[in-house]
Amino acid sequence: MTDLETRKRIIALIRQEVVPAIGCTEPMAVALCTAKATEQLGCRPEHIEARLSANILKNAMGVGIPGTGMIGLPIAIALGALVGKSEYQLEVLKDLTPEALEAGKQYIAEKRIDIGLKEGECDKLYIEIVVTAGAKTSKAIIAGGHTTFVSEGNAVKTVSENSDEIALNMRLVYDFATTAPLDEIRFIEETRTYNMNAAREAIKGNYGHNLGKTIDRPMAKGIFGNSVFSHIISRTAAACDARMGGSMIPVMSNSGSGNQGICATNPVCVFAKENENTEEELIRALMLSHLTAIYIKQSLGKLSALCGCVVASIGSSCGITYLMGGDYERICYSVKNMIANLTGMICDGAKPSCSLKITSGVSTAVLSALLAIEGKCVTSEEGIVDDCVDKSIHNLTAIGADGMGITDEMVLNIMTSKKNA
């Protein structure tokens, strides 16, 4: 068992990275930054200037804003100024009313918002909001994390995240998840409450591409069957449909992404229920899944050219392997099998079709777990996989964080060219 001090630091890290969010975290972070700048200004802004990193812009261009029926940053920024409360963090717009929505639309029509790329070097996750009213000006900056306010120039208030972040490795992740006292880690069950509820919410409406509902329909059952596998992909895709389609339902995010939180949660929950695993086994599997995703994101970064569903699906594959009875060796096999398959999947922004990528990820998660339980593992003679599981993970993150940089630039150029056409 890991020692008490190490467990405390890991739990603090998880509580920092696994938090509730309404809607896509990038536009919500922009709304949060706008709300903070407006609160500092002390009155309704007459003009708002937003300067954003390319990755923030990419992830916020095509996604539905909860409760609005609208897409993209202008309405998120307007509502951040009009009804946003920074104390709500990534649930910043939860006080939205129909009247506020109409006021937000009018604010946009009055052309009070200027959105552009931040010039020069900046963090991949960077949001700078300047609000003005008469001679009064206020600035707020978020950088490095979706709720991390930083000081720069005339920006006030600094809120730093945990500076004593523990360096994880796969063995530590496994040992903590499988041996920590249950009462210390039981809180991770909240992810099931939030994210499975999002899947149920999707059934009530028509969100995004309705992928989750489509997989549950009779024609799809003739293809996928009425199986544990089909239930895993439908419940995971459904939650993503609701979130990306603008539902006000909150989800539990992981490392700044609601889709990653869904992907690390729902496959594990569905498998545990249908495999009749115990409550303790589910809790430990969820912890293993979420902490694996957090570990991988430590070296990949909050935002990257690599789709975050790849990371979260590796976590869920570990969780499912554990629920199948897999030990540490088999769980390492599942990680390597995942890396051998999904490395290189691009992130082309947050949008309804993210549910397709999630489905690809969790499908591979199940396949990788099955192979691992059978003792099958991609070897170090094949591609980027290494004998060491941690080295394999760092090969993946090096490609995503560094090797795919030019790909990321090209994706953004394609996306913005379409918008300007």
Side-chain angles (χ1 to χ4, degrees):
M1 181 184 293
T2 49
D3 64 83
L4 178 60
E5 183 57 33
T6 299
R7 296 202 309 272
K8 285 181 177 179
R9 293 176 66 195
I10 292 174
I11 289 168
L13 174 62
I14 296 164
R15 288 191 176 278
Q16 173 185 296
E17 298 293 353
V18 180
V19 296
I22 294 177
C24 177
T25 47
E26 278 70 51
M28 289 305 103
V30 177
L32 172 63
C33 199
T34 305
K36 174 64 71 177
T38 301
E39 290 164 1
Q40 293 166 177
L41 187 70
C43 62
R44 174 173 164 158
E46 295 171 0
H47 185 263
I48 303 172
E49 180 180 291
R51 292 295 175 259
L52 313 171
S53 63
N55 287 79
I56 288 287
L57 190 61
K58 179 182 73 173
N59 275 6
M61 287 171 59
V63 71
I65 305 304
T68 68
M70 300 173 71
I71 288 173
L73 282 167
I75 191 63
I77 291 171
L79 294 176
L82 298 177
V83 298
K85 292 182 180 178
S86 64
E87 66 193 77
Y88 293 162
Q89 298 284 284
L90 293 178
E91 297 179 281
V92 57
L93 300 183
K94 70 178 181 180
D95 287 344
L96 177 63
T97 63
E99 294 75 21
L101 177 57
E102 290 307 309
K105 292 177 180 178
Q106 181 62 34
Y107 197 90
I108 294 170
E110 293 168 358
K111 300 188 183 302
R112 297 179 180 274
I113 301 171
D114 175 25
I115 301 170
L117 278 171
K118 173 66 176 177
E119 295 183 359
E121 292 289 324
C122 68
D123 194 274
K124 286 186 177 182
L125 198 167
Y126 183 90
I127 302 163
E128 180 181 307
I129 302 292
V130 177
V131 294
T132 58
K136 295 172 65 178
T137 299
S138 177
K139 179 192 286 187
I141 297 171
I142 285 176
H146 290 78
T147 60
T148 307
F149 288 92
V150 299
S151 290
E152 179 180 304
N154 64 338
V156 285
K157 196 166 178 77
T158 299
V159 181
S160 61
E161 292 188 311
N162 182 10
S163 59
D164 189 32
E165 185 176 277
I166 187 168
L168 298 172
N169 58 63
M170 200 63 217
R171 183 81 229 190
L172 179 57
V173 167
Y174 174 82
D175 286 347
F176 173 81
T178 57
T179 66
L182 202 60
D183 286 345
E184 291 184 10
I185 62 173
R186 192 180 295 277
F187 68 90
I188 202 68
E189 276 191 299
E190 285 187 287
T191 62
R192 174 179 61 176
T193 303
Y194 275 84
N195 296 348
M196 291 301 291
N197 191 42
R200 287 186 285 271
E201 176 68 21
I203 306 303
K204 301 176 185 177
N206 290 311
Y207 295 104
H209 297 294
N210 277 326
L211 181 58
K213 291 173 75 171
T214 298
I215 296 167
D216 265 343
R217 287 173 178 154
M219 183 175 70
K221 286 182 179 178
I223 299 169
F224 294 106
N226 188 16
S227 63
V228 177
F229 175 71
S230 67
H231 298 163
I232 285 173
I233 59 176
S234 68
R235 302 303 184 270
T236 310
C240 179
D241 287 332
R243 178 175 176 267
M244 294 286 96
S247 169
M248 283 294 287
I249 196 79
V251 302
M252 195 69 82
S253 64
N254 182 298
S255 304
S257 167
N259 280 350
Q260 286 169 198
I262 290 167
C263 207
T265 302
N266 291 22
V268 176
C269 292
V270 174
F271 185 88
K273 180 179 179 181
E274 302 211 15
N275 196 48
E276 299 182 351
N277 288 100
T278 66
E279 180 188 27
E280 177 175 349
E281 287 168 340
L282 171 61
I283 290 169
R284 295 195 183 282
L286 283 171
M287 184 57 71
L288 178 60
S289 179
H290 279 274
L291 192 55
T292 298
I294 291 168
Y295 163 40
I296 298 171
K297 293 293 282 188
Q298 280 185 332
S299 54
L300 181 63
K302 288 287 195 295
L303 298 177
S304 74
L306 182 71
C307 176
C309 297
V310 173
V311 174
S313 295
I314 294 172
S316 63
S317 188
C318 292
I320 291 170
T321 304
Y322 173 79
L323 292 171
M324 289 177 172
D327 57 9
Y328 177 69
E329 182 181 30
R330 294 298 194 269
I331 285 165
C332 290
Y333 283 2
S334 69
V335 172
K336 294 178 184 181
N337 291 338
M338 290 292 293
I339 291 171
N341 192 334
L342 289 182
T343 298
M345 183 188 288
I346 64 167
C347 171
D348 55 345
K351 60 211 175 300
S353 61
C354 284
S355 59
L356 289 165
K357 295 190 178 188
I358 275 185
T359 299
S360 296
V362 299
S363 299
T364 304
V366 176
L367 177 61
S368 296
L370 282 170
L371 283 172
I373 286 295
E374 292 293 323
K376 304 295 185 183
C377 175
V378 176
T379 68
S380 59
E381 274 112 45
E382 304 174 68
I384 67 167
V385 170
D386 193 273
D387 287 330
C388 171
V389 66
D390 296 296
K391 179 61 176 171
S392 297
I393 286 170
H394 288 291
N395 290 344
L396 165 75
T397 59
I399 290 170
D402 303 320
M404 294 175 67
I406 295 175
T407 301
D408 212 22
E409 292 175 14
M410 182 174 289
V411 167
L412 182 64
N413 287 339
I414 292 170
M415 292 173 66
T416 54
S417 295
K418 288 194 303 179
K419 293 291 182 181
N420 295 332

